[in-house]
Amino acid sequence: MKEEQLLAYLKANCTGRGNIQTRAQLQRKLGLSKDQLTNMVHRMRCKGLPIAGGPLGYFYAQNAGELHATIRWLEKMVQTLLKSINGLVKAMESYGPMDDGGGSDGGSGGEASG
């Protein structure tokens, strides 16, 4: 499913908050996985397309107010994530210095010796 097809579907069937469809409904109707749908919506929003929504699903925004509500919901999600990150940073402090053997940064963990 290409982004253009999702956009056309949302414009034709889901314009305005009153026509919101759940993620599950969109996944079934368009044959997408949860990750595919989420990634497509993310890319479309990054391109400036007015894909609105919230915890109930997605829709094509009819006006700036619908986009503003979506922006506010996303901002709340960011704040919640930052609180989680800050809590984990505090928890990490109790473990002492980080070792270089199991980092998640994708590095090799040290220099080769020879």
Side-chain angles (χ1 to χ4, degrees):
M1 167 69 48
K2 294 182 179 177
E3 291 172 20
E4 299 82 30
Q5 292 170 308
L6 174 57
L7 180 62
Y9 183 84
L10 291 172
K11 279 183 171 181
N13 301 288
C14 309
T15 298
R17 180 179 309 282
N19 294 307
I20 193 169
Q21 288 199 10
T22 67
R23 288 167 184 80
Q25 287 172 319
L26 290 169
Q27 287 171 234
R28 276 193 307 275
K29 289 182 182 182
L30 301 171
L32 299 170
S33 71
K34 180 181 176 182
D35 288 342
Q36 287 173 319
L37 178 61
T38 301
N39 290 334
M40 288 172 71
V41 168
H42 170 73
R43 287 191 304 271
M44 293 165 72
R45 287 173 169 170
C46 289
K47 291 177 184 177
L49 296 169
I51 309 304
L56 300 178
Y58 297 118
F59 60 97
Y60 189 86
Q62 260 182 320
N63 56 56
E66 290 177 342
L67 288 177
H68 182 70
T70 299
I71 291 166
R72 297 290 303 169
W73 178 70
L74 291 170
E75 287 173 339
K76 285 181 182 180
M77 285 179 50
V78 168
Q79 293 304 315
T80 299
L81 289 171
L82 287 173
K83 287 179 184 178
S84 291
I85 290 168
N86 290 335
L88 291 173
V89 167
K90 286 179 188 175
M92 193 169 64
E93 291 168 0
S94 70
Y95 286 95
M98 289 182 50
D99 63 15
D100 61 352
S104 61
D105 61 47
S108 63
E111 296 179 13
S113 58

